Amino acid sequence: MPQYKLTYFDLRGWAEPARQLLHLSHTPYDDVRIPMADTEKSWENLKEKTPFGQLPVLNVDGFDIPQSAAICRYLARKFGYAGKNPEEEAWADAIVDQYKDFSVAYKTLIFAARAGKPQEDILKIRYEIFNPSRDAYFEILNKILKNNKSGYLVGDGLTWADLVVADNLHSLEKLKALDDDNEDHQKLRKYVEKIYSTPDLEDHIATRMDTEV
């Protein structure tokens, strides 16, 4: 069996869907996490050794794979979560690309808060940049789920697109970006519950370090 090592910071973040794919496939791996309290020193020592100067990186028997989407796509194909045919694979890829488009606005808000920007600036970003992007993203997700009666985003089974989107929605819940009185937001909450109740995933969700992002 290949030896897997996944390196990332001590967060859910960009590495969490890959962790979930490894867990779903019952694949042992070395989960290397750089402590956030020691990020600057530990990361600077490691950065130049990574392919693109970024994390996560998946190492498979000494072969490095960078970039979160490439890592997840590789694992999904290997373990049967990429889609059941080329068309489903393309749709899973497209949905993750759509999430990445939304993540530009999401990261703008997160980084503004982390940088300690004035509350007035953060609210401006939230209402003028983040909320419109969130609403368009949610509309697309709800349309896909309405048209696909299985309750999954692609086909009739779990794909890596579900893992990426559900984890992002979980982060948005922590950001209080889902409204209790919005029916479409409630539908997305129920979708996350469905994904996270997957039998081979449920124990990982219950025991993982559930960070803000």
Side-chain angles (χ1 to χ4, degrees), residues 60 68 79 83 148:
V60 186
S68 57
F79 300 135
N148 191 23

Side-chain angles (χ1 to χ4, degrees), residues 93-142:
D93 288 351
I95 290 167
V96 172
D97 284 342
Q98 189 63 43
Y99 151 70
K100 289 168 70 178
D101 286 350
F102 162 69
S103 73
V104 174
Y106 172 60
K107 289 188 290 185
T108 299
L109 179 61
I110 294 295
F111 291 160
R114 287 183 181 175
K117 288 186 176 294
Q119 188 66 17
E120 180 181 349
D121 292 351
I122 294 173
L123 289 174
K124 184 178 178 66
I125 291 169
R126 182 155 198 153
Y127 289 111
E128 295 183 7
I129 298 174
F130 173 80
N131 282 0
S133 183
R134 176 205 61 182
D135 293 346
Y137 173 57
F138 282 6
E139 182 178 356
I140 290 169
L141 293 177
N142 273 308

Side-chain angles (χ1 to χ4, degrees), residues 23-179:
H23 191 83
L24 282 164
S25 62
H26 305 284
T27 302
Y29 71 103
D30 189 6
D31 187 11
V32 178
R33 299 182 182 229
I34 297 174
M36 294 304 295
D38 192 33
T39 298
E40 185 174 348
K41 179 180 178 181
S42 299
W43 173 229
E44 286 305 315
N45 291 336
L46 177 62
K47 186 174 182 178
E48 65 181 23
K49 300 176 184 177
T50 65
F52 295 161
Q54 297 174 321
L55 294 177
V57 172
L58 177 68
N59 183 278
V60 186
D61 286 341
F63 181 81
D64 281 340
I65 302 173
Q67 291 287 3
S68 57
I71 291 167
C72 287
R73 189 179 295 111
Y74 166 82
L75 293 174
R77 286 175 175 168
K78 195 156 192 175
F79 300 135
Y81 295 98
K84 295 178 180 178
N85 53 52
E87 291 73 25
E88 287 192 5
E89 288 188 15
W91 258 100
D93 288 351
I95 290 167
V96 172
D97 284 342
Q98 189 63 43
Y99 151 70
K100 289 168 70 178
D101 286 350
F102 162 69
S103 73
V104 174
Y106 172 60
K107 289 188 290 185
T108 299
L109 179 61
I110 294 295
F111 291 160
R114 287 183 181 175
K117 288 186 176 294
Q119 188 66 17
E120 180 181 349
D121 292 351
I122 294 173
L123 289 174
K124 184 178 178 66
I125 291 169
R126 182 155 198 153
Y127 289 111
E128 295 183 7
I129 298 174
F130 173 80
N131 282 0
S133 183
R134 176 205 61 182
D135 293 346
Y137 173 57
F138 282 6
E139 182 178 356
I140 290 169
L141 293 177
N142 273 308
K143 181 179 178 181
I144 293 170
L145 290 168
K146 180 180 179 180
N147 291 336
N148 191 23
K149 305 301 182 183
S150 69
Y152 297 102
L153 289 170
V154 180
D156 60 1
L158 185 73
T159 66
W160 72 290
D162 291 304
L163 302 180
V164 170
V165 169
D167 192 69
N168 175 240
L169 291 171
H170 182 64
S171 294
L172 292 174
E173 184 78 79
K174 289 177 173 289
L175 193 63
K176 301 188 185 303
L178 277 74
D179 299 331

Side-chain angles (χ1 to χ4, degrees), residues 178-189:
L178 277 74
D179 299 331
D180 292 338
D181 57 354
N182 187 305
E183 183 179 353
D184 287 339
H185 292 196
Q186 296 311 306
K187 290 176 183 176
L188 293 176
R189 278 194 174 122

